[in-house]
Amino acid sequence: MQNRIEELKRSFVTSLGAAGSAESLEALRVEYLGKKGYVAELMKGLKDASDKKAAGQLINEFKTEVEDSIAKATEELRAAQIAAKIRGAKKYNPTLRAEAEFGSYHPITLATREVEEIFVSMGFTIENYFEIVDDYKCFEALNIPKHHPARDMQDTYYLDNGQLLKTHTSAAQNAIMKKYGAPLRAIFPGRCFRNESTDACHENTFFQMEGMMIDENISISNLIYFMKTMLSEVFKRDVKVRLRPGFFPFVEPGFELDINCEICGGEGCPSCKNSGWLELCPCGMIHPNVLREGGIDTEKYTGFAFGLGLTRLAMMKYGVKDIRDFNSGNLKALSQFKSI
Ligand code: FA5
């Protein structure tokens, strides 16, 4: 028995020295300690030993030696693998540029900034205004009394306290007139909300940019000049537009300024509801009632206002066929724009 154990010890030491992986150590464990392994074989032979107690002790010592050696080798192997991983890992270098992916500007942001720049260069200031307003600001101050049929065109979302999500940037006109008085040149971009069904050119949440110019002797020709300049600067090419009469209670006279659909070239498509034209920037001479409500002396001053559909402008400028893409969060579409 003793000779056999000595022989197994030698062969175990040799095999252990050659085992360089977790798999070969496991195979060695099974070979020696498994159900049909050498230790089991020794235990079977115990019954034939002359001094069973001494033989049993030797077998146990051998078994413990094998178990400990395999556990130690396994641990050493694991430590060596971790050390190799650390050696091979990329070292942290604080002087390297971060490998972060940069985002891109939303096309509405790009269009807003571009239009802002154009108007700032023409002496306009940029104003900010709330998204939640009251009925007075959104309608009454704009010559749209309660129950006026013009309200039907602009249903919105109401809060329990009677306030509402603004349907148009015109909701800021009164506050801005009261803040600055006349003369005045201001633009105010903002998010607008309407409770209406969506399609390729209508969203329930979209952006407009309002503009107002109030001074002595302001006339329709000033309005047309500013609209033309803005469009030629934004598109940097000739775009076909048309001006037709339009009704808004807060302007007199009022106009609809439509753009020839840049998606289909005027042939008609879902982006323009098959008309070949897209309503882009209604405008007109500010109604005297609105000026008065804003504290402006109507004997001295006149003014024009416009409500540019910024989201639609971005559609036409960037060739986005469906307005719903802007709010979709679809990075595949949105990340095509200028990166930060
Ligand atoms: C208005 O909102 C007026 N406040 C504009 C105005 C201002 C007129 C100053 C005169 C003087 P309208 O509802 O037509 O008008 O909207 C103006 C523009 O916003 C539209 O021409 C269109 O470009 C855009 N627009 C309106 N509704 C939506 C919508 N649901 N989705 C996307 N764009 C819209």
Side-chain angles (χ1 to χ4, degrees):
M1 173 72 70
Q2 194 169 1
N3 289 345
R4 175 68 180 140
I5 291 177
E6 287 305 323
E7 189 192 326
L8 285 172
K9 271 187 185 174
R10 280 194 298 276
S11 72
F12 175 73
V13 169
T14 312
S15 302
L16 188 66
S21 66
E23 290 77 25
S24 49
L25 282 172
E26 175 59 14
L28 200 58
R29 191 191 64 76
V30 172
E31 191 181 352
Y32 281 81
L33 303 173
K35 267 189 196 160
K36 293 179 184 165
Y38 294 124
V39 172
E41 180 195 304
L42 291 172
M43 292 299 276
K44 260 189 212 161
L46 194 58
K47 61 180 185 316
D48 303 324
S50 48
D51 184 348
K52 288 190 179 58
K53 194 179 167 199
Q57 207 169 341
L58 283 177
I59 296 170
N60 268 339
E61 278 170 14
F62 176 57
K63 186 179 170 228
T64 309
E65 203 178 314
V66 170
E67 280 171 350
D68 290 351
S69 303
I70 290 179
K72 191 168 169 239
T74 305
E75 189 48 44
E76 282 171 0
L77 188 71
R78 217 172 61 86
Q81 280 169 344
I82 291 170
K85 236 187 205 172
I86 292 169
R87 271 196 310 278
K90 263 195 210 168
K91 295 273 182 306
Y92 168 64
N93 181 347
T95 64
L96 283 183
R97 203 176 134 92
E99 284 176 19
E101 280 207 6
F102 291 97
S104 55
Y105 284 114
H106 194 283
I108 302 290
T109 304
L110 295 174
T112 308
R113 287 187 182 172
E114 197 163 342
V115 180
E116 281 176 355
E117 222 170 88
I118 295 162
F119 278 100
V120 165
S121 75
M122 296 192 286
F124 284 68
T125 59
I126 304 170
E127 302 298 322
N128 206 354
Y129 201 65
F130 314 115
E131 288 176 357
I132 297 174
V133 296
D134 57 20
D135 190 90
Y136 172 78
K137 289 281 185 336
C138 202
F139 300 117
E140 284 171 55
L142 292 165
N143 208 24
I144 312 177
K146 287 208 164 46
H147 313 299
H148 191 288
R151 290 191 178 215
D152 293 347
M153 309 293 290
Q154 301 196 5
D155 188 19
T156 183
Y157 305 93
Y158 288 82
L159 278 69
D160 287 344
N161 64 8
Q163 288 187 305
L164 48 103
L165 300 185
K166 75 170 187 254
T167 56
H168 52 176
T169 41
S170 304
Q173 282 194 10
N174 183 265
I176 289 167
M177 279 188 267
K178 282 180 177 158
K179 183 172 172 192
Y180 294 107
L184 162 70
R185 286 183 192 202
I187 51 167
F188 26 110
R191 191 183 270 123
C192 303
F193 307 85
R194 292 198 192 171
N195 180 17
E196 58 184 39
S197 40
T198 62
D199 58 31
C201 57
H202 288 88
E203 253 294 13
N204 52 26
T205 305
F206 58 96
F207 283 82
Q208 286 185 348
M209 183 182 288
E210 192 87 356
M212 267 197 310
M213 180 171 183
I214 301 172
D215 209 331
E216 292 177 40
N217 304 318
I218 296 293
S219 67
I220 294 175
S221 43
N222 297 107
L223 166 64
I224 292 173
Y225 166 79
F226 279 99
M227 292 298 95
K228 269 189 169 168
T229 310
M230 183 261 296
L231 289 172
S232 62
E233 289 284 318
V234 168
F235 286 96
K236 304 211 166 50
R237 62 178 185 272
D238 260 352
V239 284
K240 254 207 245 169
V241 290
R242 70 178 184 190
L243 201 65
R244 58 192 171 94
F247 174 71
F248 301 91
F250 35 98
V251 285
E252 182 57 44
F255 305 97
E256 286 282 4
L257 191 153
D258 304 333
I259 186 169
N260 195 243
C261 181
E262 291 280 300
I263 306 291
C264 62
E267 296 280 302
C269 67
S271 308
C272 57
K273 277 198 150 176
N274 293 311
S275 72
W277 294 92
L278 204 61
E279 285 175 12
L280 182 70
C281 186
C283 49
M285 299 304 292
I286 305 174
H287 196 290
N289 288 353
V290 175
L291 288 174
R292 267 192 294 274
E293 199 65 31
I296 307 287
D297 178 357
T298 52
E299 295 297 315
K300 193 170 174 193
Y301 295 106
T302 49
F304 69 75
F306 62 86
L308 171 67
L310 256 184
T311 310
R312 286 205 186 152
L313 179 89
M315 269 177 90
M316 295 294 107
K317 183 171 165 66
Y318 300 117
V320 176
K321 288 187 184 152
D322 195 316
I323 198 167
R324 291 165 292 197
D325 283 348
F326 290 117
N327 290 348
S328 68
N330 175 0
L331 292 182
K332 220 166 148 195
L334 296 173
S335 61
Q336 293 168 31
F337 296 88
K338 213 188 325 178
S339 55
I340 291 171

